[in-house]
């Protein structure tokens, strides 16, 4: 049995294909565990985990918390809105104060790019990135790939299009790294203003026509339009976005094959995706949520395994 | 000074294993009759081969119609997490039934320290509260227990010193039925 090649999960950029396979194999076992009558194993009973959320999150925070509890870890939660960060405390001070309480692993979400990397160099604990600004969101990419693998048998050779706000999306970047590592073909699709310049240098194609993009792909991963990260208007109106890039049932039915629809949540129903599509049998959005717990259990378990006693 | 002298001694050959498997099957029938309320659980990874063989013998040679049989992996319940040099990989757990009020028989190939069985006792609780639990092992290593755990059914009891390893090979998996004592 192998180990992860990294001490922290900062980004998919820093891990390799063997790491992904190890995480998925371990997640398979945890998926079986969380479907038992008693959904809990005692592995991490002597590990303490701090969840530091400097930015709002519902799904990811719940998913991490559940994963940690299913592994029997002790957990403490921290959200920036109710803390001394408001009083001007620095990131390292906050983290060191929490570490003085003998924490072994930190799960952190932060609005600034590179915050997790920075923290991993300054504090003595394992770090899991739960999203750093517009940079990476590695566990989301892992659970997305895991869900594709579960639905289609494998990620290798599959065609995946990521639709929407690529510019502000950490999910897009982590997904591109993860999919390319596993040998998938990737295209991005969205308004020109929301596609970063030079994105082709990551080995992905760009398509501005949603119909052509969907016709090409096996899987469409549809992202949310992140209005909160937009200081200026990147497109004229939500209505126009929905008309040009929104995915609806007639559009899906006009394709020559049945594609798989994914969404990392939260959904703006009627904008990037209609309710009919989100609730259809082609959508695996709720499978993604369930798989998220199993994948996060695997990541935490494999990192905790390396912690010296 | 001594060089590398690895010795390998055959403890049981395939004929002897066959006799023992039939005896163990008969002992199970004595206590569990038609296995109406009994489930057999092979402990992963190596106990499952023994469990499969016993189920085949019970079904084919003794006409027990339908035996409930599962595989239990104990990796996440072990007491040596973060204490081993190399991490352990998990195996598949397949228990498609609830063990509530059932008579459970754990099946493993070699009983050594008893720690795997301790982990299995915790793990099985995730599937309900059994009426009782028994333990069947092919090889019982005497004087090596770390915990107060003893088998209810044993194939062969052996005295082996701690440096020695007992390896059970199975026809379906390893090409032959043999039990070796290996001294590294």
């Amino acid at each position: 049995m192998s180990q992860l090649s990294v001490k922290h999960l900062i980004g998919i950029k820093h891990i390799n294909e063997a790491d992904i396979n190890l995480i998925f194999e371990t997640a398979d076992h945890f998926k079986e565990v969380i479907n038992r009558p008693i959904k809990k194993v005692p592995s991490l009973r002597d590990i303490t985990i701090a969840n530091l959320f400097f930015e709002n999150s519902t799904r990811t925070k719940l998913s991490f918390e559940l994963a940690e509890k299913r592994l029997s870890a002790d957990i403490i939660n921290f959200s920036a809105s109710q803390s001394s960060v408001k009083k001007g405390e620095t990131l390292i001070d906050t983290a060191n104060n929490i570490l003085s309480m003998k924490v072994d692993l930190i799960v952190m979400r932060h609005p600034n790019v590179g915050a997790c990397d920075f923290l991993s160099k300054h504090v003595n604990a394992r770090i899991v990135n739960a999203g750093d600004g517009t940079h990476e969101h590695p566990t989301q990419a892992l659970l997305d790939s895991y869900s594709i693998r579960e639905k289609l048998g494998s990620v290798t050779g599959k065609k995946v299009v990521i639709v929407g706000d690529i510019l502000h999306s950490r999910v897009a970047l982590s997904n591109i790294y993860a999919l390319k590592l596993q040998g998938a073909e990737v295209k991005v699709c969205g308004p020109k203003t929301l596609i970063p310049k030079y994105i082709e240098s990551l080995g992905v194609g760009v398509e501005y026509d949603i119909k052509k993009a969907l016709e090409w792909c096996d899987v469409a991963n549809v992202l949310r339009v992140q209005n909160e990260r937009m200081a200026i208007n990147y497109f004229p109106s939500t209505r126009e976005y929905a008309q040009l890039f929104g995915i609806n049932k007639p559009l899906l039915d006009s394709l020559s094959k049945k594609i798989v629809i994914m969404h990392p949540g939260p959904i703006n129903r009627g904008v990037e995706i209609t309710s009919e599509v989100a609730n259809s049998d082609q959508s695996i959005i709720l499978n993604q949520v369930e798989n998220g717990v199993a994948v996060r259990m695997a990541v935490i378990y494999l990192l905790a395994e390396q912690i010296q006693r | 000074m001594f060089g590398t002298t690895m010795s390998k001694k055959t403890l049981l050959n395939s004929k002897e294993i066959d006799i023992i498997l039939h005896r163990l099957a008969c002992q199970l029938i004595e206590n569990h009759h038609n296995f109406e309320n009994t489930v057999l659980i092979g402990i992963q990874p190596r106990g499952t081969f023994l469990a499969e063989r016993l189920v085949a013998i019970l079904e084919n040679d003794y006409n027990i119609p339908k035996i409930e049989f599962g595989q239990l992996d104990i990796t996440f319940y072990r007491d040596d997490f973060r204490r081993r040099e190399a991490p352990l990989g998990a195996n598949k757990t397949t228990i498609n039934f609830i063990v509530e009020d059932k008579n459970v028989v754990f099946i493993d190939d070699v009983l050594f320290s008893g720690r795997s069985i301790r982990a299995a006792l915790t793990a099985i609780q995730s599937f309900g509260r059994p009426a009782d639990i028994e333990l069947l092992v092919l090889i019982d290593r005497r004087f090596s227990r770390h915990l107060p755990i003893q088998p209810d059914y044993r194939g062969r009891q052996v005295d082996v010193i701690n440096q020695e390893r007992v390896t059970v090979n199975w026809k379906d998996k390893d090409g032959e039925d043999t039990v070796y004592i290996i001294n590294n």
Side-chain angles (χ1 to χ4, degrees):
Chain A
M1 159 100 180
S2 46
Q3 280 191 33
L4 288 182
S5 67
V6 289
K7 288 183 163 182
H8 313 279
L9 184 65
I10 306 294
I12 303 291
K13 195 178 182 178
H14 308 289
I15 65 174
N16 56 42
E17 199 185 351
D19 291 329
I20 294 186
N21 291 333
L22 177 60
I23 291 169
F24 287 178
E25 280 160 27
T26 313
D28 284 340
H29 299 301
F30 285 127
K31 183 144 187 193
E32 184 269 318
V33 166
I34 60 178
N35 282 296
R36 289 179 188 176
I38 294 176
K39 307 162 179 61
K40 199 169 166 139
V41 293
S43 302
L44 265 62
R45 65 200 147 204
D46 54 352
I47 296 276
T48 308
I49 301 177
N51 297 316
L52 311 188
F53 279 76
F54 293 91
E55 196 181 82
N56 287 338
S57 161
T58 317
R59 191 176 331 254
T60 307
K61 192 168 173 220
L62 280 179
S63 180
F64 266 111
E65 224 179 295
L66 201 56
E68 291 152 7
K69 287 184 168 165
R70 298 274 191 250
L71 289 167
S72 300
D74 291 321
I75 61 176
I76 48 176
N77 287 315
F78 166 96
S79 28
S81 54
Q82 309 147 8
S83 71
S84 297
V85 175
K86 286 255 151 84
K87 300 172 193 162
E89 193 177 43
T90 65
L91 175 57
I92 290 184
D93 280 342
T94 306
N96 273 330
N97 273 288
I98 290 168
L99 283 182
S100 307
M101 303 172 199
K102 306 272 181 281
V103 168
D104 305 292
L105 193 144
I106 292 177
V107 174
M108 184 167 84
R109 167 166 290 188
H110 200 280
N112 293 345
V113 170
C116 291
D117 187 39
F118 174 78
L119 195 65
S120 71
K121 294 188 171 106
H122 290 89
V123 302
N124 182 26
R126 306 291 156 136
I127 313 287
V128 179
N129 183 358
D132 59 335
T134 55
H135 180 224
E136 279 226 43
H137 189 354
T139 55
Q140 179 69 44
L142 290 169
L143 77 89
D144 287 347
S145 288
Y146 184 83
S147 303
I148 295 174
R149 167 184 176 267
E150 185 182 67
K151 181 78 180 173
L152 302 176
S154 149
V155 178
T156 314
K158 297 291 178 297
K159 294 176 176 152
V160 182
V161 63
I162 305 173
V163 184
D165 179 1
I166 312 298
L167 185 65
H168 297 101
S169 178
R170 54 191 172 214
V171 176
L173 185 61
S174 288
N175 254 295
I176 290 169
Y177 286 137
L179 293 166
K180 298 296 289 181
L181 260 186
Q182 297 167 92
E185 285 184 64
V186 186
K187 276 190 182 177
V188 294
C189 176
K192 207 163 192 169
T193 47
L194 290 175
I195 306 279
K197 274 186 187 171
Y198 312 117
I199 185 111
E200 293 92 342
S201 63
L202 293 173
V204 305
V206 180
E207 177 61 69
Y208 298 110
D209 183 336
I210 185 75
K211 174 101 204 272
K212 278 189 197 158
L214 296 182
E215 197 64 69
W216 171 82
C217 73
D218 302 305
V219 179
N221 197 348
V222 190
L223 305 179
R224 184 175 64 92
V225 176
Q226 304 195 48
N227 290 313
E228 75 276 15
R229 291 191 204 279
M230 297 181 190
I232 57 166
N233 286 333
Y234 286 86
F235 45 82
S237 71
T238 307
R239 188 162 156 265
E240 185 169 325
Y241 182 89
Q243 277 183 353
L244 287 174
F245 294 98
I247 299 180
N248 51 40
K249 197 81 174 82
L251 178 58
L252 275 192
D253 290 342
S254 72
L255 304 176
S256 55
K257 62 182 171 190
K258 266 194 148 190
I259 62 167
V260 177
I261 299 288
M262 300 171 67
H263 194 299
I267 306 175
N268 290 325
R269 284 180 186 255
V271 182
E272 65 267 6
I273 189 172
T274 61
S275 284
E276 216 181 354
V277 171
N279 304 340
S280 73
D281 62 345
Q282 284 171 263
S283 142
I284 57 166
I285 295 171
L286 292 177
N287 305 48
Q288 287 174 267
V289 180
E290 182 188 350
N291 291 338
V293 178
V295 166
R296 290 182 174 114
M297 284 173 82
V299 167
I300 292 169
Y301 178 85
L302 291 167
L303 287 177
E305 196 164 52
Q306 308 170 350
I307 298 172
Q308 297 294 313
R309 283 177 61 227
Chain B
M1 200 162 57
F2 300 103
T4 50
T5 52
M6 193 190 89
S7 70
K8 187 170 168 182
K9 199 173 77 185
T10 305
L11 178 67
L12 297 173
N13 61 32
S14 85
K15 178 83 186 144
E16 290 165 319
I17 290 179
D18 194 49
I19 293 170
I20 289 175
L21 291 181
H22 277 83
R23 170 170 56 79
L24 290 171
C26 289
Q27 287 178 329
L28 281 173
I29 295 170
E30 255 186 331
N31 287 345
H32 296 274
H33 314 289
N34 57 2
F35 291 74
E36 205 174 40
N37 198 40
T38 299
V39 297
L40 305 186
I41 303 281
I43 308 296
Q44 286 276 29
R46 308 280 312 179
T48 54
F49 302 117
L50 173 57
E52 278 164 18
R53 286 289 284 278
L54 281 171
V55 170
I57 290 173
L58 288 166
E59 289 184 345
N60 302 333
D61 299 354
Y62 297 97
N63 298 321
I64 313 277
K66 201 177 167 352
I67 296 175
E68 275 200 297
F69 156 59
Q71 305 172 312
L72 179 64
D73 183 66
I74 55 155
T75 309
F76 303 128
Y77 299 85
R78 297 178 64 98
D79 58 5
D80 56 357
F81 182 65
R82 299 198 294 136
R83 289 161 177 83
R84 299 176 65 92
E85 293 209 343
L88 275 174
N91 291 288
K92 209 170 162 72
T93 292
T94 327
I95 299 183
N96 302 321
F97 43 81
I98 297 291
V99 298
E100 189 80 23
D101 289 330
K102 298 268 181 162
N103 307 108
V104 172
V105 183
F106 281 163
I107 298 176
D108 207 353
D109 59 350
V110 181
L111 178 61
F112 181 36
S113 67
R115 285 176 189 266
S116 300
I117 302 304
R118 203 279 316 146
L121 288 168
T122 315
I124 198 69
Q125 291 174 349
S126 293
F127 299 91
R129 178 182 184 267
D132 56 48
I133 301 177
E134 291 180 319
L135 174 61
L136 180 151
V137 296
L138 183 64
I139 305 294
D140 170 18
R141 294 182 61 160
R142 268 208 300 178
F143 310 126
S144 62
R145 217 76 79 233
H146 298 171
L147 299 166
I149 285 171
Q150 306 304 338
D152 299 287
Y153 311 89
R154 59 166 70 82
R156 175 69 65 88
Q157 193 167 51
V158 288
D159 298 341
V160 187
I161 53 171
N162 277 340
Q163 297 90 297
E164 291 174 324
R165 211 152 36 86
V166 177
T167 318
V168 181
N169 287 353
W170 296 107
K171 204 163 50 187
D172 323 336
K173 166 85 180 156
D174 315 288
E176 50 162 11
D177 285 343
T178 337
V179 179
Y180 292 113
I181 296 182
I182 298 169
N183 194 350
N184 295 313

